[in-house]
Amino acid sequence: MTGKPSRGLGAARLAALCGHWPGVSRDTKWGIDMVFSVDGKMFAVMPSDGSEGGRLSFKVADDRFLELTDQPGIIPAPYLARARWISVIEPQRFATAELEAFILDAYTLVRAKLAKKRQAELGPLPILQARRK
């Protein structure tokens, strides 16, 4: 029996994914938005109550911004698009593994902007573990 790959990414899974990465903190902003930051610099945002269809916003590389926002279910993130953030407004369109990879990329991008000394203090970058059904 083969299972379908899981789709979307909920608040609990997002917290479990990146909540333990080096230098990551989680807080609530704008009422219900769960914000993940590395050394105080945001890299991912999601409504903690699952509202807005489970919208997931995060930083992307400059050269991927236009490519990603051309896909159905992804828009430039309101207020943060100029900093090259996107919002996945239909997360169920995407495999969970793909969304997890986007979040790791966002963390890596933001962490790379920290001082070299601080990056070294944080240690190695996290890696995603393959999930088995």
PDB file of all heavy atoms in Angstrom, residues 89-103:
ATOM      1  N   ILE A  89      -0.588  31.112  -0.160  1.00  0.00           N
ATOM      2  CA  ILE A  89      -1.963  31.292   0.302  1.00  0.00           C
ATOM      3  C   ILE A  89      -2.807  30.036   0.129  1.00  0.00           C
ATOM      4  O   ILE A  89      -3.911  29.958   0.647  1.00  0.00           O
ATOM      5  CB  ILE A  89      -2.634  32.500  -0.386  1.00  0.00           C
ATOM      6  CG1 ILE A  89      -2.615  32.345  -1.899  1.00  0.00           C
ATOM      7  CG2 ILE A  89      -1.966  33.794   0.047  1.00  0.00           C
ATOM      8  CD1 ILE A  89      -3.418  33.384  -2.653  1.00  0.00           C
ATOM      9  N   GLU A  90      -2.278  29.068  -0.604  1.00  0.00           N
ATOM     10  CA  GLU A  90      -2.938  27.775  -0.770  1.00  0.00           C
ATOM     11  C   GLU A  90      -1.926  26.667  -0.488  1.00  0.00           C
ATOM     12  O   GLU A  90      -1.478  25.954  -1.395  1.00  0.00           O
ATOM     13  CB  GLU A  90      -3.495  27.642  -2.187  1.00  0.00           C
ATOM     14  CG  GLU A  90      -4.574  28.656  -2.524  1.00  0.00           C
ATOM     15  CD  GLU A  90      -5.038  28.567  -3.962  1.00  0.00           C
ATOM     16  OE1 GLU A  90      -4.945  27.464  -4.562  1.00  0.00           O
ATOM     17  OE2 GLU A  90      -5.482  29.593  -4.489  1.00  0.00           O
ATOM     18  N   PRO A  91      -1.549  26.505   0.789  1.00  0.00           N
ATOM     19  CA  PRO A  91      -0.484  25.539   1.099  1.00  0.00           C
ATOM     20  C   PRO A  91      -0.817  24.095   0.734  1.00  0.00           C
ATOM     21  O   PRO A  91       0.094  23.298   0.510  1.00  0.00           O
ATOM     22  CB  PRO A  91      -0.271  25.697   2.606  1.00  0.00           C
ATOM     23  CG  PRO A  91      -1.409  26.489   3.107  1.00  0.00           C
ATOM     24  CD  PRO A  91      -2.019  27.207   1.965  1.00  0.00           C
ATOM     25  N   GLN A  92      -2.099  23.755   0.627  1.00  0.00           N
ATOM     26  CA  GLN A  92      -2.464  22.379   0.271  1.00  0.00           C
ATOM     27  C   GLN A  92      -2.087  22.019  -1.163  1.00  0.00           C
ATOM     28  O   GLN A  92      -2.090  20.856  -1.534  1.00  0.00           O
ATOM     29  CB  GLN A  92      -3.958  22.143   0.510  1.00  0.00           C
ATOM     30  CG  GLN A  92      -4.383  22.303   1.950  1.00  0.00           C
ATOM     31  CD  GLN A  92      -3.586  21.459   2.928  1.00  0.00           C
ATOM     32  OE1 GLN A  92      -3.209  20.333   2.625  1.00  0.00           O
ATOM     33  NE2 GLN A  92      -3.305  21.994   4.103  1.00  0.00           N
ATOM     34  N   ARG A  93      -1.758  23.017  -1.960  1.00  0.00           N
ATOM     35  CA  ARG A  93      -1.303  22.766  -3.336  1.00  0.00           C
ATOM     36  C   ARG A  93       0.103  22.172  -3.364  1.00  0.00           C
ATOM     37  O   ARG A  93       0.538  21.641  -4.375  1.00  0.00           O
ATOM     38  CB  ARG A  93      -1.251  24.072  -4.135  1.00  0.00           C
ATOM     39  CG  ARG A  93      -2.548  24.603  -4.588  1.00  0.00           C
ATOM     40  CD  ARG A  93      -2.274  25.890  -5.404  1.00  0.00           C
ATOM     41  NE  ARG A  93      -3.428  26.346  -6.104  1.00  0.00           N
ATOM     42  CZ  ARG A  93      -3.703  26.049  -7.380  1.00  0.00           C
ATOM     43  NH1 ARG A  93      -2.889  25.306  -8.075  1.00  0.00           N
ATOM     44  NH2 ARG A  93      -4.786  26.522  -7.941  1.00  0.00           N
ATOM     45  N   PHE A  94       0.831  22.291  -2.268  1.00  0.00           N
ATOM     46  CA  PHE A  94       2.246  21.944  -2.247  1.00  0.00           C
ATOM     47  C   PHE A  94       2.510  20.785  -1.291  1.00  0.00           C
ATOM     48  O   PHE A  94       1.896  20.683  -0.234  1.00  0.00           O
ATOM     49  CB  PHE A  94       3.080  23.156  -1.830  1.00  0.00           C
ATOM     50  CG  PHE A  94       2.875  24.332  -2.740  1.00  0.00           C
ATOM     51  CD1 PHE A  94       1.908  25.272  -2.472  1.00  0.00           C
ATOM     52  CD2 PHE A  94       3.634  24.462  -3.896  1.00  0.00           C
ATOM     53  CE1 PHE A  94       1.683  26.346  -3.327  1.00  0.00           C
ATOM     54  CE2 PHE A  94       3.422  25.529  -4.760  1.00  0.00           C
ATOM     55  CZ  PHE A  94       2.446  26.473  -4.475  1.00  0.00           C
ATOM     56  N   ALA A  95       3.460  19.956  -1.670  1.00  0.00           N
ATOM     57  CA  ALA A  95       3.879  18.852  -0.804  1.00  0.00           C
ATOM     58  C   ALA A  95       4.515  19.418   0.461  1.00  0.00           C
ATOM     59  O   ALA A  95       5.209  20.443   0.411  1.00  0.00           O
ATOM     60  CB  ALA A  95       4.874  17.959  -1.534  1.00  0.00           C
ATOM     61  N   THR A  96       4.269  18.762   1.569  1.00  0.00           N
ATOM     62  CA  THR A  96       4.836  19.202   2.840  1.00  0.00           C
ATOM     63  C   THR A  96       6.354  19.298   2.749  1.00  0.00           C
ATOM     64  O   THR A  96       6.955  20.261   3.227  1.00  0.00           O
ATOM     65  CB  THR A  96       4.416  18.236   3.968  1.00  0.00           C
ATOM     66  OG1 THR A  96       2.986  18.223   4.039  1.00  0.00           O
ATOM     67  CG2 THR A  96       4.993  18.652   5.304  1.00  0.00           C
ATOM     68  N   ALA A  97       6.984  18.319   2.112  1.00  0.00           N
ATOM     69  CA  ALA A  97       8.451  18.329   1.988  1.00  0.00           C
ATOM     70  C   ALA A  97       8.935  19.561   1.228  1.00  0.00           C
ATOM     71  O   ALA A  97       9.976  20.138   1.570  1.00  0.00           O
ATOM     72  CB  ALA A  97       8.923  17.057   1.295  1.00  0.00           C
ATOM     73  N   GLU A  98       8.193  19.981   0.213  1.00  0.00           N
ATOM     74  CA  GLU A  98       8.578  21.176  -0.549  1.00  0.00           C
ATOM     75  C   GLU A  98       8.480  22.425   0.321  1.00  0.00           C
ATOM     76  O   GLU A  98       9.378  23.277   0.318  1.00  0.00           O
ATOM     77  CB  GLU A  98       7.679  21.321  -1.778  1.00  0.00           C
ATOM     78  CG  GLU A  98       8.046  22.476  -2.675  1.00  0.00           C
ATOM     79  CD  GLU A  98       7.177  22.564  -3.922  1.00  0.00           C
ATOM     80  OE1 GLU A  98       6.126  21.893  -4.006  1.00  0.00           O
ATOM     81  OE2 GLU A  98       7.570  23.320  -4.821  1.00  0.00           O
ATOM     82  N   LEU A  99       7.407  22.533   1.105  1.00  0.00           N
ATOM     83  CA  LEU A  99       7.247  23.683   1.996  1.00  0.00           C
ATOM     84  C   LEU A  99       8.324  23.690   3.079  1.00  0.00           C
ATOM     85  O   LEU A  99       8.863  24.742   3.422  1.00  0.00           O
ATOM     86  CB  LEU A  99       5.847  23.689   2.611  1.00  0.00           C
ATOM     87  CG  LEU A  99       4.702  23.907   1.615  1.00  0.00           C
ATOM     88  CD1 LEU A  99       3.359  23.701   2.293  1.00  0.00           C
ATOM     89  CD2 LEU A  99       4.788  25.284   0.981  1.00  0.00           C
ATOM     90  N   GLU A 100       8.644  22.522   3.612  1.00  0.00           N
ATOM     91  CA  GLU A 100       9.710  22.429   4.617  1.00  0.00           C
ATOM     92  C   GLU A 100      11.045  22.886   4.032  1.00  0.00           C
ATOM     93  O   GLU A 100      11.820  23.569   4.695  1.00  0.00           O
ATOM     94  CB  GLU A 100       9.811  21.005   5.157  1.00  0.00           C
ATOM     95  CG  GLU A 100       8.651  20.619   6.041  1.00  0.00           C
ATOM     96  CD  GLU A 100       8.673  19.171   6.483  1.00  0.00           C
ATOM     97  OE1 GLU A 100       9.391  18.336   5.861  1.00  0.00           O
ATOM     98  OE2 GLU A 100       7.975  18.852   7.462  1.00  0.00           O
ATOM     99  N   ALA A 101      11.311  22.526   2.786  1.00  0.00           N
ATOM    100  CA  ALA A 101      12.551  22.953   2.126  1.00  0.00           C
ATOM    101  C   ALA A 101      12.569  24.467   1.952  1.00  0.00           C
ATOM    102  O   ALA A 101      13.617  25.106   2.127  1.00  0.00           O
ATOM    103  CB  ALA A 101      12.708  22.248   0.779  1.00  0.00           C
ATOM    104  N   PHE A 102      11.415  25.064   1.618  1.00  0.00           N
ATOM    105  CA  PHE A 102      11.333  26.518   1.508  1.00  0.00           C
ATOM    106  C   PHE A 102      11.665  27.185   2.847  1.00  0.00           C
ATOM    107  O   PHE A 102      12.357  28.202   2.896  1.00  0.00           O
ATOM    108  CB  PHE A 102       9.930  26.966   1.076  1.00  0.00           C
ATOM    109  CG  PHE A 102       9.618  26.790  -0.380  1.00  0.00           C
ATOM    110  CD1 PHE A 102       8.349  26.399  -0.776  1.00  0.00           C
ATOM    111  CD2 PHE A 102      10.562  27.034  -1.375  1.00  0.00           C
ATOM    112  CE1 PHE A 102       8.016  26.262  -2.111  1.00  0.00           C
ATOM    113  CE2 PHE A 102      10.245  26.889  -2.722  1.00  0.00           C
ATOM    114  CZ  PHE A 102       8.973  26.507  -3.087  1.00  0.00           C
ATOM    115  N   ILE A 103      11.160  26.618   3.934  1.00  0.00           N
ATOM    116  CA  ILE A 103      11.403  27.197   5.265  1.00  0.00           C
ATOM    117  C   ILE A 103      12.878  27.086   5.631  1.00  0.00           C
ATOM    118  O   ILE A 103      13.464  28.034   6.163  1.00  0.00           O
ATOM    119  CB  ILE A 103      10.504  26.525   6.332  1.00  0.00           C
ATOM    120  CG1 ILE A 103       9.030  26.762   6.017  1.00  0.00           C
ATOM    121  CG2 ILE A 103      10.848  27.025   7.726  1.00  0.00           C
ATOM    122  CD1 ILE A 103       8.613  28.217   5.920  1.00  0.00           C
TER     123      ILE A 103
END
